[in-house]
Amino acid sequence: RFREDALRILRAYRFAAQLSFDIDPATRAGAQICAPLLARISVERIAAELPTRTRLSVTLSLCIALGTAVLLW
């Protein structure tokens, strides 16, 4: 499903950060494979998906751990 809309990768990170749960290994693998598709997403859509400051650090930590943070900057 990440191929249909790569923004789902960030949504998965946001939900995991907001709800304090781990991302399923299969979902994590899919996110890593499809991460290059994030380059096609507009900055505005990405910014809208990132959480507020309170959970931003957790979300960014997940992005770093999954190897997708570099694609956001």
Side-chain angles (χ1 to χ4, degrees):
R1 309 262 355 207
F2 292 134
R3 290 187 198 282
E4 295 170 14
D5 184 5
L7 201 56
R8 289 179 176 151
I9 296 168
L10 291 183
R11 285 190 191 120
Y13 297 165
R14 180 171 52 91
F15 290 146
Q18 287 176 331
L19 303 173
S20 299
F21 66 81
D22 292 326
I23 296 176
D24 176 74
T27 302
R28 183 180 301 222
Q32 288 175 316
I33 290 168
C34 294
L37 298 175
L38 285 169
R40 299 179 185 170
I41 304 296
S42 72
V43 173
E44 293 82 9
R45 287 187 69 204
I46 290 173
E49 275 308 312
L50 293 177
T52 59
R53 290 183 311 193
T54 55
R55 301 306 291 178
L56 182 60
S57 64
V58 175
T59 303
L60 293 178
S61 294
L62 283 168
C63 289
I64 291 166
L66 298 177
T68 56
V70 70
L71 298 169
L72 300 176
W73 287 274

